[in-house]
Amino acid sequence: MEDIEDLLVGSGGAPPGFRLPLNAVGVNPRKKNKAKPSKISPLNDPLKIPGTQTIYVKTFGFSDTLTTCQSDSEYMAGQLSSFGYAISDNPEEGDLWLINTCTVKNPSQSAMNTLITKGKSAKKPLVVAGCVPQGSRDLKELEGVSIVGVQQIDRVVEVVEETLKGHEVRLLNRKTLPALDLPKVRKNKFVEILPINVGCLGACTYCKTKHARGHLGSYTVDSLVERVKTVIADGVKEIWLSSEDTGAYGRDIGVNLPILLNAIVAELPPDGSTMLRIGMTNPPFILEHLKEIAAVLRHPCVYSFLHVPVQSGSDSVLTAMNREYTVSEFRTVVDTLTELVPGMQIATDIICGFPGETDEDFAQTVNLIKEYKLPQVHISQFYPRPGTPAARMKKVPSTIVKNRSRELTSVFEAFTPYNGMEGRVERIWITEIATDGIHLVGHTKGYVQVLIIAPESILGTSAMVKITSVGRWSVFGEVIETLTLVNVKMAPENVNTQEKPLPCSNRYESCACSKEPEPCSCGPDFCGGQIRLEEYAVSKNDSLMENRVGKNPIHWLIRKRRNHELEKVENDIDSGIKNKQDWTPGGWGIVDRALLVGIFVSFLMIVAVIMHLEFRTLPSK
């Protein structure tokens, strides 16, 4: 079927959330078999009011592309929800299935194909969105289903309604980016996935995403900053910048990534309650901005974490991939950021068995991974994507590809990146429940995953934790303090290229996730002293104390004692000394109790003296 485009001449489509009339959307009514008239389905029942159905939403993606696809799904779910549709993650409940797809890897597309087949067998109306229909619109699996392109997600309500009526709709082409202020239903209410641009400037020979998302198209700095302000007001605690290549941001509109990052960071709450995570960044476009990006990554409101794909440790393979950088340049990125950002954590990607990869090429990749021992490495086998130059190259035998993938995975899994963290006190940001349903998940400033056992009421908050044990993929912690109220004092470090101090910048450094088993030189200033905590309102008892009369000597002693213990822990950690016994807030020794008793006795004596004087001054009858 031909692509169906907007029929409103010069309108550029409907405003966000506005339903175009039927004659303004190209539709193709499905042909019905006149010989065997079918029974009226509830979905074709004219009494079935649009907006009362349930939509099953499923998102497919891989690695960082999943965040982009997830953001699109959240925007589409938000618009549907705003028009009354119920959103479900249970396919059995769905009156219509909305499938959002990624075209990076074969397994993702294969899973999509399987789900489409199931939907057709179950007689479910189907809408397929995302990269697959945009980049491969003539796929056999897409016959008979409605499709929405990556830049048409603001039209999803129209497409769903026409599909429920039995029409097949295709909306694929558009010259403008969808608005950022569309309604949104977040999968995690504490996390905002913020797309900063669509498409990229690269031309990797194996990549199908470029076919789907096209050339670079960046949102303006002002529009992104406004979105940041909005989501912070909504209670979001983490903002993830999403893009096919974050480093390329703004090159089409005359700005760059550091300009955007500094503008966003200036809007983050100075108490560190909302954190920023920078998305996947290819080496070529950040080489010229390494110092500026390092300064932002040091900022206390920004995770000291970056995903920098290398794909191969061999320059010859990188050339065949058309990656536009060398292994040496990748090393420069990693070495510079590691040197300038204490506690810096870097993740990378590797493709095993790219066409033409020799044993020597693969050995160079293994050596690179062994040298850096990065905590996160996404390892995948090469998958030829139809229509890409790499699909026409001579392939490495599949058995060799699989063996190389297993070998590299074995090398990577032998690393112990979190050794040395046990016993440290870290600040974490808690945003989700672990898949085991028991632990909550938080992250350190270096984005190390910390699992804790705590009530769900602390989701969306920050806490001080003591690391009790370490695993291969995460660490386990014990909550010391829940930071529900934090006052900050800023030191005068400039991390802005305009030499303007950022809201919560200071001179202290972080070692939240140091790979070396050395004593951490940071403490409850929250790993690296990024924020000086002046006040901990951490429990109901503490809150009650703060609200009582400040002149009460007993309450004064309690607060004084707690501050003394906190300073002692900070000093011990700063000097690399491990406490001989665990510190617990509010612990009282013999001296403390004696002081408390003395104050109490003194208080009674003062009351007795006052009462005695009162009785003496009473007039006699």
Side-chain angles (χ1 to χ4, degrees):
M1 190 180 81
E2 296 292 332
D3 293 340
I4 298 174
E5 307 304 333
D6 298 348
L7 301 181
L8 291 180
V9 179
S11 70
F18 176 77
R19 303 188 200 203
L20 288 175
L22 177 61
N23 62 1
V25 179
V27 294
N28 181 27
R30 295 194 180 106
K31 296 180 180 180
K32 297 181 180 179
N33 189 342
K34 296 182 180 180
K36 296 181 179 180
S38 60
K39 295 181 180 180
I40 295 178
S41 160
L43 294 178
N44 294 325
D45 187 346
L47 299 179
K48 191 77 172 180
I49 302 173
T52 61
Q53 295 87 352
T54 297
I55 310 299
Y56 164 59
V57 180
K58 177 63 177 178
T59 305
F60 292 101
F62 169 74
S63 184
D64 262 38
T65 63
L66 179 57
T67 61
T68 301
C69 294
Q70 184 62 47
S71 177
D72 289 348
S73 292
E74 291 176 356
Y75 272 124
M76 289 189 286
Q79 293 170 84
L80 292 166
S81 179
S82 69
F83 277 105
Y85 292 97
I87 307 300
S88 174
D89 56 5
N90 183 354
E92 299 300 323
E93 296 177 355
D95 297 313
L96 176 144
W97 290 6
L98 172 59
I99 305 170
N100 194 16
T101 62
C102 169
T103 188
V104 170
K105 297 177 68 175
N106 275 3
S108 177
Q109 186 167 329
S110 297
M112 177 210 74
N113 293 341
T114 300
L115 188 60
I116 289 176
T117 300
K118 288 182 179 179
K120 289 180 177 178
S121 299
K123 308 296 184 184
K124 298 286 187 179
L126 299 173
V127 176
V128 179
C131 295
V132 171
Q134 188 76 60
S136 305
R137 61 188 68 182
D138 295 325
L139 282 177
K140 182 179 179 181
E141 290 79 8
L142 297 177
E143 292 179 0
V145 303
S146 294
I147 61 179
V148 181
V150 294
Q151 293 188 36
Q152 294 278 25
I153 59 173
D154 56 349
R155 304 285 298 278
V156 68
V157 173
E158 305 160 47
V159 176
V160 163
E161 292 189 351
E162 294 305 324
T163 304
L164 286 169
K165 295 175 184 177
H167 300 143
E168 179 184 343
V169 183
R170 290 194 171 202
L171 294 175
L172 288 170
N173 294 340
R174 188 168 183 171
K175 295 181 180 179
T176 58
L177 298 173
L180 290 171
D181 59 354
L182 296 169
K184 197 170 192 180
V185 174
R186 300 183 187 91
K187 187 175 182 180
N188 183 332
K189 68 178 182 178
F190 299 115
V191 177
E192 167 73 6
I193 303 173
L194 180 60
I196 63 173
N197 56 260
V198 175
C200 67
L201 294 176
C204 300
T205 56
Y206 57 84
C207 183
K208 187 73 172 177
T209 304
K210 180 65 177 280
H211 294 187
R213 296 192 176 263
H215 198 67
L216 182 68
S218 302
Y219 287 96
T220 65
V221 173
D222 289 343
S223 65
L224 291 165
V225 168
E226 284 303 312
R227 181 64 182 174
V228 167
K229 292 179 181 178
T230 299
V231 302
I232 291 175
D234 288 343
V236 161
K237 300 304 178 184
E238 287 187 3
I239 299 172
W240 298 357
L241 301 187
S242 176
S243 166
E244 281 72 54
D245 185 359
T246 303
Y249 168 79
R251 290 173 177 259
D252 57 322
I253 57 175
V255 293
N256 57 40
L257 182 61
I259 291 174
L260 172 65
L261 294 179
N262 284 307
I264 290 177
V265 168
E267 301 299 331
L268 299 178
D271 61 1
S273 57
T274 300
M275 295 292 287
L276 178 69
R277 194 186 85 173
I278 304 174
M280 188 268 287
T281 305
N282 287 314
F285 301 112
I286 61 170
L287 281 167
E288 62 190 87
H289 300 302
L290 282 178
K291 290 185 178 180
E292 294 95 328
I293 292 175
V296 173
L297 289 167
R298 287 197 302 270
H299 193 284
C301 301
V302 181
Y303 285 119
S304 303
F305 170 83
L306 198 62
H307 180 186
V308 186
V310 64
Q311 305 299 6
S312 175
S314 165
D315 283 339
S316 62
V317 173
L318 292 178
T319 299
M321 292 178 173
N322 196 28
R323 289 291 289 171
E324 300 180 345
Y325 59 88
T326 64
V327 175
S328 176
E329 289 173 327
F330 171 78
R331 290 177 182 273
T332 297
V333 172
V334 176
D335 293 343
T336 302
L337 294 180
T338 302
E339 177 185 358
L340 297 179
V341 185
M344 183 71 197
Q345 297 282 292
I346 293 177
T348 196
D349 298 340
I350 296 291
I351 297 175
C352 291
F354 188 82
E357 182 185 66
T358 65
D359 290 340
E360 175 60 27
D361 293 329
F362 178 67
Q364 292 175 19
T365 299
V366 172
N367 290 336
L368 182 70
I369 298 303
K370 283 182 176 179
E371 177 182 350
Y372 282 98
K373 292 183 172 62
L374 299 176
Q376 295 184 37
V377 180
H378 307 128
I379 302 168
S380 63
Q381 301 172 30
F382 170 73
Y383 295 96
R385 306 300 291 126
T388 62
R392 300 188 295 270
M393 298 178 182
K394 185 177 180 180
K395 299 177 181 59
V396 176
S398 59
T399 53
I400 294 178
V401 175
K402 292 178 181 178
N403 288 337
R404 289 176 180 173
S405 177
R406 293 192 189 102
E407 180 183 343
L408 187 59
T409 300
S410 178
V411 168
F412 166 65
E413 291 182 349
F415 300 157
T416 53
Y418 306 129
N419 279 2
M421 288 189 68
E422 192 169 0
R424 291 184 184 176
V425 175
E426 304 274 1
R427 183 179 182 181
I428 66 170
W429 289 262
I430 307 160
T431 56
E432 61 183 312
I433 301 173
T435 53
D436 63 6
I438 300 173
H439 293 86
L440 301 184
V441 180
H443 291 91
T444 68
K445 187 175 188 302
Y447 214 67
V448 175
Q449 179 174 272
V450 181
L451 302 178
I452 60 172
I453 294 179
E456 292 184 19
S457 58
I458 70 170
L459 282 170
T461 68
S462 181
M464 300 301 302
V465 300
K466 180 178 180 180
I467 305 303
T468 55
S469 62
V470 300
R472 175 60 186 83
W473 311 107
S474 57
V475 302
F476 294 84
E478 181 180 274
V479 176
I480 296 175
E481 306 278 2
T482 302
L483 309 179
T484 56
L485 176 62
V486 182
N487 292 335
V488 295
K489 183 182 294 182
M490 296 169 289
E493 181 190 37
N494 292 337
V495 295
N496 195 317
T497 54
Q498 285 78 23
E499 299 184 355
K500 176 182 177 182
L502 293 178
C504 46
S505 59
N506 62 55
R507 59 188 173 84
Y508 300 97
E509 294 183 340
S510 166
C511 57
C513 313
S514 172
K515 291 175 286 202
E516 299 300 325
E518 299 174 351
C520 187
S521 62
C522 53
D525 284 354
F526 94 80
C527 198
Q530 271 82 342
I531 292 181
R532 178 66 63 180
L533 304 182
E534 297 292 343
E535 180 180 354
Y536 284 70
V538 296
S539 67
K540 292 181 181 179
N541 291 336
D542 290 338
S543 298
L544 289 173
M545 266 189 279
E546 294 298 332
N547 292 329
R548 291 174 185 168
V549 180
K551 294 182 180 180
N552 188 317
I554 297 177
H555 294 162
W556 175 85
L557 177 65
I558 292 172
R559 290 195 297 271
K560 193 73 175 177
R561 176 62 179 171
R562 184 177 295 278
N563 290 338
H564 173 72
E565 290 289 350
L566 181 58
E567 291 172 5
K568 183 176 182 298
V569 172
E570 291 180 21
N571 293 334
D572 287 347
I573 296 178
D574 285 340
S575 58
I577 300 174
K578 291 185 177 179
N579 294 328
K580 294 182 180 179
Q581 59 184 12
D582 290 345
W583 173 77
T584 55
W588 295 93
I590 296 175
V591 176
D592 301 314
R593 289 170 180 164
L595 287 171
L596 186 60
V597 170
I599 291 175
F600 183 69
V601 170
S602 299
F603 178 74
L604 290 177
M605 291 179 66
I606 292 171
V607 171
V609 169
I610 292 173
M611 292 179 66
H612 177 70
L613 292 174
E614 285 288 333
F615 282 119
R616 288 191 61 181
T617 58
L618 288 174
S620 58
K621 293 182 179 179

